[in-house]
Amino acid sequence: MIRSVSILLALLGSGPAHAHAFESGQDAYELLLQGISQPWLMLPVAVLLLGLGMLTGIWRTEGVIVVWPAMIAGALLGLGLGPFVPQVEVIWLMGLALVISIVGIIALPLPSLAMAGLAALATLLPSRFLMETHVFGELPLPFLIGMGIGITTCAALAAGVVQATREQIGHVAVLIGWRALISWIGAISILMLAFELRPV
Amino acid sequence: MRQVLTLVLVLVTVATAPAFAHEGEGLAGGFMSGLTHPIYGLDHVVAMVAVGLWGAVLGAPALWILPLVFPLVMALGGAMGVLGIPMPAVELGIAASGLVLGLMVALWVQAPIWVAAVLVGIFAVFHGHAHGTELPEAANAIAYAVGFVIATGALHIAGIAFGALNGVKGGSWAVRGAGAVIALAGAAFLTGMA
């Protein structure tokens, strides 16, 4: 009896567990790292951003230099508007990933402004998606900064790899290979769209 | 009595079948399910390798157009399967793909690019539909899609890599031989021998 009561008291006295909560980071640096990891942990977001990066590298060898400011602007807008605008669904992300894939496959020579707009949209939607239902001020600033860094570097990293291979190898087959690879993003997007739209 | 009970417990434990309760679950499980699904089916493997081989036989631009068409159209077929849209003669189409594509390689058929793309695209729908309907219930669907597309692309690359033997002296015969083996496998699937 005494043992049961003492166990019950111990349980009642315990604090909430934050193992998987956003607040699990004990300091700002941990929160920053958690934020950076978010885009990589959400597959639809990672697929879209990697596709954007590939497209940027296919579009122009040094395309990332042109569109990176737009990527940052889109991410900031998405994180800032997050609590005030409707939530973004996975089908939006996958629809945009499909569009990006098609533009990449045909290597459409988009004007700089159009490419920047596409890049801004492709970082705005995932950043809003990652905000989920959190209200303004709920998420700590280092976490938000981390998400912004994660979103832009995810795309910039892919663009950098494309740029490096194009510059270092230089063979025409490299660009063809990347166009074939970006078609995989399209294929993945089509399947993800089907999974999202299938009757439950 | 206690010893008997222990013995019974040991025997029951030994006799149990392996538990697959968590197979295919979560991100890693879904990804692995998708990655292995096309590879475990020999009928899928031979057809996808044949696509890469035929691309190598036809040369540029088919070399990259065919492996580009296949995953995209296969995903459309997969989407049909996932959404429950019925499709007739799926298994027949898959078996026929091995035979036809294998023959194209073995006989060194230099078809126009649009003919090759349409033919490959038609077969891709059958393969995709089968994968879509066979999606494991427990698998993480999104991770499954990623693994599934990567495995398909990797099989095409394997075919293209083997097709690169074409540039070596006598290599074209090795490529033709691989095509003949694929055609025979397709015929075996078609006739129910395999």
Side-chain angles (χ1 to χ4, degrees), chain A residues 22 31-40 42 45 49 75-76 78-80 123 126-132 134 139-154:
Chain A
F22 279 124
L31 286 168
L32 186 81
L33 291 182
Q34 275 190 29
I36 291 172
S37 68
Q38 291 306 304
W40 298 94
M42 295 280 182
V45 171
L49 293 173
L76 286 176
L79 294 173
T123 50
S127 52
R128 172 63 196 98
F129 176 81
L130 289 173
M131 287 295 285
E132 296 177 347
H134 294 285
L139 294 174
L141 189 63
F143 184 81
L144 288 172
I145 294 170
M147 279 211 289
I149 294 171
I151 288 164
T152 47
T153 50
C154 189

Side-chain angles (χ1 to χ4, degrees), chain B residues 23-192:
Chain B
E23 200 187 47
E25 275 184 8
L27 270 183
F31 179 73
M32 284 311 292
S33 285
L35 202 64
T36 53
H37 204 254
I39 295 166
Y40 281 161
L42 191 60
D43 46 356
H44 294 299
V45 171
V46 294
M48 288 168 206
V49 171
V51 169
L53 279 175
W54 198 25
V57 166
L58 293 172
L63 181 66
W64 64 275
I65 286 182
L66 296 190
L68 197 143
V69 165
F70 198 96
L72 265 180
V73 184
M74 190 184 68
L76 285 173
M80 284 168 64
V82 169
L83 295 171
I85 300 168
M87 202 179 150
V90 171
E91 290 305 320
L92 194 71
I94 291 171
S97 67
L99 176 65
V100 174
L101 294 171
L103 282 174
M104 294 294 165
V105 176
L107 301 174
W108 218 255
V109 176
Q110 297 291 314
I113 183 64
W114 71 268
V115 173
V118 169
L119 193 62
V120 162
I122 291 169
F123 288 135
V125 177
F126 289 113
H127 284 270
H129 195 278
H131 290 309
T133 47
E134 290 165 9
L135 169 71
E137 279 300 315
N140 178 304
I142 292 173
Y144 178 89
V146 176
F148 169 73
V149 172
I150 289 174
T152 305
L155 287 170
H156 293 325
I157 291 169
I160 292 169
F162 194 84
L165 280 177
N166 193 19
V168 184
K169 192 182 176 187
S172 63
W173 287 104
V175 176
R176 279 174 185 260
V181 170
I182 289 171
L184 282 174
F189 294 131
L190 207 58
T191 54

